[in-house]
Amino acid sequence: MGAPLAFTVALFVPANRPERFAKAADAGADAVILDLEDAVAAPAKDAARAALRADFATVPVLVRVNGLGTPWHAADMAALAGRAFAAVMVPKAEVGEAFAALCAAAPVPVIALIETARGLADARRIAQTAHVARLAFGSIDFCADLGCAHGRDALLAARSELVLASRLAGLAPPIDGVTTAIDDREAIVDDARHARDLGFGGKLAIHPRQVAPIRDGFAPDEAEIAWARKVLASGDGAAAVDGTMVDEPVRIRARALLGRLAAPQAGATVSWSSERRQP
């Protein structure tokens, strides 16, 4: 996938609130998502679609459309044509003829939002679908579909599967879902760090105040930086660092950590192939 979609923090803004677009672009996120779906009530869908634009930001601008089977989906997709959007985010992605046709016809790359049990079961096939550039986790909708708690233990298997599906397809690491807390900086940082440690490359934000904590959560802390530098200073081959064995796989991890420090906006600092793997 191309660099414009290798972001760490993507901030949602309701597409029917154009007065907020520039503020969202100035909030420090790596990408802005104009939301036509959950953030916009049914009577405002047409106005939101009419307000779509991408010229307010220097960062990538994405659009989350309404899902397949909704009354607004076709018009949403048609509104993307001829615009400078970086990608379209498709909610409740699941394998099927309609989804494949959507991906084939989309004028921009597709970010598939996994939000259902069926979507998770299909995740590896979705990741292999032509024009799908990245997976994202709609964890709140996923919990509603399964009737499970929105907690780490309940979602560990789902998150791990999205990381694995992305890796097998040669995509950049997936994007984690939102943290509902807006003002609890510690909780936001901790959620972002948890996602990073599982192998996610970014996280969705619903408020500008979440941007900095998410970025901090994905960046290495001082102890990790010190450890990575010691590991890389240990030379080649097997060596002992602070009483533990170090070899090339450990050095790969160290390089990835320092890569996040050097370019946190890149999101996908793990050395995954940018070429699509064939099923």
Side-chain angles (χ1 to χ4, degrees), residues 219-279:
D221 60 27
E222 291 183 3
E224 289 173 320
I225 294 169
W227 171 85
R229 288 174 173 163
K230 283 184 181 180
V231 166
L232 295 181
S234 66
D236 299 324
V241 174
D242 293 339
T244 62
M245 190 274 289
V246 166
D247 57 8
E248 185 56 24
V250 179
R251 293 187 181 96
I252 290 172
R253 169 66 176 164
R255 293 187 196 103
L257 283 170
L258 294 182
R260 287 192 179 98
L261 179 67
Q265 76 280 2
T269 54
V270 180
S271 57
W272 291 10
S273 172
S274 61
E275 296 181 359
R276 295 301 300 271
R277 284 170 165 74
Q278 297 303 314

Side-chain angles (χ1 to χ4, degrees), residues 178-213:
V178 302
T179 295
T180 55
I182 293 173
D183 293 314
D184 189 339
R185 175 181 172 80
E186 183 176 347
I188 299 166
V189 171
D190 196 46
D191 277 357
R193 182 61 54 88
H194 176 68
R196 189 206 75 175
D197 288 350
L198 288 177
F200 280 78
K203 187 170 174 64
L204 302 173
I206 54 174
H207 194 280
R209 288 200 292 272
Q210 294 181 321
V211 171

Side-chain angles (χ1 to χ4, degrees), residues 8 29 58 99 101 103 122 124 135 153-154 158 167 179 225 243 256 260:
T8 299
T58 57
F99 179 73
C103 293
D122 292 344
R124 299 189 193 191
L135 301 182
D153 289 345
R167 181 68 182 97
T179 295
I225 294 169
R260 287 192 179 98

Side-chain angles (χ1 to χ4, degrees), residues 60-104:
V61 178
L62 293 66
V63 178
R64 178 165 72 171
V65 297
N66 289 278
L68 285 159
T70 66
W72 312 284
H73 175 76
D76 289 353
M77 293 300 297
L80 303 179
R83 311 284 188 95
F85 298 122
V88 56
M89 180 173 282
V90 179
K92 295 180 173 60
E94 298 176 356
V95 165
E97 292 183 4
F99 179 73
L102 179 160
C103 293

